[in-house]
Amino acid sequence: MAKKNAVAAAQNAAPAEKKYMKPSEIVTFGIGLFGVALLTGWMPDYTMTFFADFAFKGKGFDPSHLAALVTSVFGVAGFVGAICELVIGILVDRTRTPLGKVKPWVGFGALPLAIISMLVFVAPNTTNFTVASVWMFVIYSLYVAISSAVESPANCFGALCSPNPKERSSAISIASFLRSVGQSGGQVVIIVVPAIMKAIMGQQQYKNAEGQGLDLIISTAVCALGMIIFVMIFFANNKERVPYTNEKVSLIESIKVVFTNKNLLMVSLTKLTGFGRGVYGTVSLYIAIYLLGSKGLKLALMLPMGIGTAVGTLLVNFVLKKFSTKKTYIIFCCYGASALAILYFVSKGIGFNSTLIVPFLILNFFCGIQHGNTNVTPNIMIADCIDEMEYKTGKRQEGLAYAGFGLISKIASAFTKVLSPFLVYTWSGYQFSTSQNIAYANQSDATLNKFLAIYTIIPAIFVILQFVPILFYDMVDEKKDRITAALAEKRAAENTDGDEEETEAAPEAAAE
């Protein structure tokens, strides 16, 4: 009787509407993601230019061999990251601590991530191409592995912060917004650090230091310290509130879950079908250099896009009130492809010159709106998929679900990291600087025009391809509401059973 009453009470009280998180927890969840993104958000693109343009300048390496090496390094590291995502997901689901499943990974992984990030920008002084190659492969693969051990659990926390889907979606949206701000925060550091260096060293000495990538090393140290501080704020204030199941997770079962849950697979495949949209990130650094005049001004280039992303995050929340996650995702993808195509044709009409700067930056804002969708909606979908998996199997495996998404994301990233340097350094006809005191060489008009295509029309094609898997996603509307209600009833019943066991045990303890 007590059990039935508890279930009925759960139904009548609409437990899915209960608020579990304190306002400060929603903020500090976002602060934690902000801290991680402050370091990891800009590392891949600047690591690529460090390896290609700075690390072994003046060592006599053949430019074509160096370009091929950089392409291979990022491709291999991408697949290393994919494997790490799956392994880390399994380990997260096997983690049982008083702190929870994911918090230990984020909190205790911050310092190793800071250290390896610093080491990425400390190249060995060698003229041996083999030594340089081995160092690049090892150091960047280590960075990818350790960053996966922090980023993936940090993203996974959104599924654990609350059993209320609406509260969970709101928390993920706010955290995703702060994460996107964190990515821009790293760009601010890369502007401020050189400005301070110029003031202290003078213009000429700064140019010499920049030619060796010293500004990147100092910027990394600042971002690494900030990451540790912000992650500790999250670590101290946030709790995991969704109970986890205690089943052992095997590798075979894990792979099966990743590839047999249709909805999780569809969300994950958006990364694979849309892998080429990420090539804009690498070339944006070179557009900042050759259109705006400095790699430090990448922030000026990306700031309108970052503001657009923030606005897009707010718009996603508004659209989600009117439409399902599926329809919201498709709407924003169609919009994003259109915005990028418009930017391409406007850029082609004006040409790669100073006249392009103002319209380029304005249109960048509108292109950025689409990123609000890709930053928020998939994470909400994954959290819903975890509910569906628990409903069907009785097992709640947040780490594995996000690992499945992360696995395919990292495979897609590997493809992106192979495609990006090929497009930027080979297809475009990019010329490397050979002077110790000149960071970047002049480029031809043909190269600059290809940079525009890499930034706009190529990503636009992949943005359209990105939403194709979502056409088959069905964890929406009545199905989602039914599963949410069923899980609420199940947890209410489990709590009642626990109370009854304690009540039965009490007389026995008293008798003893």
Side-chain angles (χ1 to χ4, degrees):
M1 177 64 71
K3 185 173 182 177
K4 290 181 179 178
N5 291 338
V7 172
Q11 292 172 324
N12 295 332
E17 299 300 323
K18 179 181 177 181
K19 299 295 183 182
Y20 294 84
M21 301 179 73
K22 296 181 293 185
S24 65
E25 288 183 272
I26 296 176
V27 174
T28 53
F29 173 29
I31 286 175
L33 294 189
F34 172 93
V36 175
L38 183 67
L39 181 62
T40 62
W42 62 272
M43 278 284 293
D45 295 337
Y46 280 87
T47 300
M48 190 172 291
T49 189
F50 179 74
F51 286 174
D53 296 300
F54 298 102
F56 301 103
K57 183 181 291 184
K59 303 300 183 183
F61 296 161
D62 181 85
S64 62
H65 291 167
L66 186 60
L69 173 61
V70 172
T71 300
S72 300
V73 166
F74 280 82
V76 169
F79 287 105
V80 169
I83 296 170
C84 288
E85 285 286 343
L86 184 59
V87 172
I88 290 165
I90 295 170
L91 293 176
V92 166
D93 278 328
R94 290 181 174 181
T95 301
R96 302 288 184 267
T97 75
L99 295 172
K101 294 170 68 173
V102 305
K103 278 182 61 179
W105 288 86
V106 180
F108 299 121
L111 183 59
L113 177 57
I115 293 171
I116 194 65
S117 299
M118 287 290 299
L119 294 177
V120 166
F121 294 103
V122 183
N125 184 17
T126 180
T127 57
N128 188 308
F129 190 75
T130 300
V131 172
S133 301
V134 170
W135 175 78
M136 284 190 194
F137 278 109
V138 171
I139 197 68
Y140 195 65
S141 293
L142 282 173
Y143 165 76
V144 168
I146 295 175
S147 64
S148 295
V150 176
E151 279 189 295
S152 182
N155 293 330
C156 178
F157 183 80
L160 291 163
C161 62
S162 171
N164 179 345
K166 291 184 179 179
E167 183 179 38
R168 180 176 68 203
S169 297
S170 177
I172 290 173
S173 297
I174 293 171
S176 297
F177 168 75
L178 289 175
R179 177 174 54 197
S180 67
V181 174
Q183 292 172 338
S184 298
Q187 305 297 321
V188 173
V189 172
I190 293 173
I191 289 178
V192 173
V193 166
I196 295 174
M197 290 176 67
K198 286 178 187 177
I200 295 174
M201 303 170 67
Q203 183 68 28
Q204 187 56 50
Q205 283 189 313
Y206 167 72
K207 278 191 173 183
N208 296 339
E210 183 192 26
Q212 299 302 311
L214 182 60
D215 56 329
L216 293 176
I217 297 173
I218 297 174
S219 297
T220 306
V222 173
C223 290
L225 178 61
M227 182 269 296
I228 291 173
I229 293 172
F230 291 123
V231 164
M232 288 303 104
I233 292 172
F234 156 79
F235 187 77
N237 192 53
N238 287 81
K239 295 179 181 179
E240 297 177 17
R241 287 187 169 83
V242 178
Y244 48 75
T245 55
N246 293 310
E247 292 86 359
K248 291 287 185 179
V249 182
S250 72
L251 179 61
I252 295 175
E253 288 177 349
S254 300
I255 295 174
K256 182 179 178 181
V257 167
V258 171
F259 291 101
T260 59
N261 183 278
K262 185 193 77 172
N263 286 320
L264 178 60
L265 184 60
M266 292 304 105
V267 178
S268 302
L269 284 177
T270 61
K271 290 293 186 180
L272 198 59
T273 58
F275 80 90
R277 68 184 291 274
V279 298
Y280 83 91
T282 298
V283 80
S284 65
L285 180 65
Y286 292 98
I287 290 179
I289 292 165
Y290 294 106
L291 184 62
L292 304 182
S294 169
K295 72 175 182 292
L297 291 178
K298 183 181 176 183
L299 175 64
L301 176 69
M302 302 306 290
L303 184 59
M305 184 174 283
I307 296 172
T309 301
V311 172
T313 301
L314 299 176
L315 287 176
V316 166
N317 282 326
F318 175 78
V319 174
L320 283 171
K321 293 177 181 178
K322 307 291 183 181
F323 300 100
S324 67
T325 50
K326 176 178 181 176
K327 291 179 180 178
T328 297
Y329 193 90
I330 293 172
I331 289 169
F332 275 90
C333 284
C334 292
Y335 164 82
S338 301
L340 286 167
I342 291 170
L343 178 56
Y344 173 73
F345 288 115
V346 169
S347 300
K348 285 289 289 182
I350 296 174
F352 200 105
N353 56 64
S354 60
T355 308
L356 177 61
I357 293 176
V358 173
F360 195 92
L361 295 180
I362 292 173
L363 290 173
N364 239 16
F365 164 80
F366 291 101
C367 291
I369 290 175
Q370 62 166 318
H371 297 308
N373 172 55
T374 51
N375 286 347
V376 176
T377 313
N379 284 317
I380 295 174
M381 288 176 164
I382 295 169
D384 292 339
C385 290
I386 293 168
D387 282 351
E388 182 187 23
M389 291 161 61
E390 182 183 3
Y391 174 76
K392 289 181 175 179
T393 68
K395 300 178 182 179
R396 189 165 186 90
Q397 297 172 297
E398 293 88 357
L400 181 59
Y402 278 92
F405 179 74
L407 169 69
I408 297 179
S409 296
K410 285 294 169 54
I411 293 174
S413 178
F415 291 150
T416 304
K417 294 306 181 184
V418 170
L419 181 61
S420 293
F422 169 77
L423 292 174
V424 172
Y425 298 128
T426 304
W427 179 70
S428 73
Y430 179 79
Q431 298 296 311
F432 291 95
S433 170
T434 57
S435 172
Q436 289 282 1
N437 299 323
I438 298 176
Y440 298 97
N442 292 326
Q443 306 298 327
S444 68
D445 289 340
T447 295
L448 298 178
N449 285 326
K450 286 182 177 179
F451 282 172
L452 290 175
I454 299 168
Y455 191 84
T456 55
I457 199 66
I458 293 176
I461 294 169
F462 282 94
V463 168
I464 290 295
L465 294 174
Q466 187 176 30
F467 78 72
V468 173
I470 293 301
L471 295 173
F472 304 96
Y473 178 88
D474 66 2
M475 182 59 181
V476 292
D477 302 328
E478 183 275 335
K479 179 178 181 179
K480 178 178 176 179
D481 293 339
R482 174 167 46 83
I483 288 176
T484 299
L487 291 178
E489 293 177 12
K490 172 190 170 186
R491 289 168 188 150
E494 288 173 349
N495 288 337
T496 302
D497 287 343
D499 292 342
E500 290 177 349
E501 289 175 4
E502 290 179 6
T503 302
E504 292 172 1
E508 296 178 7
E512 292 177 3

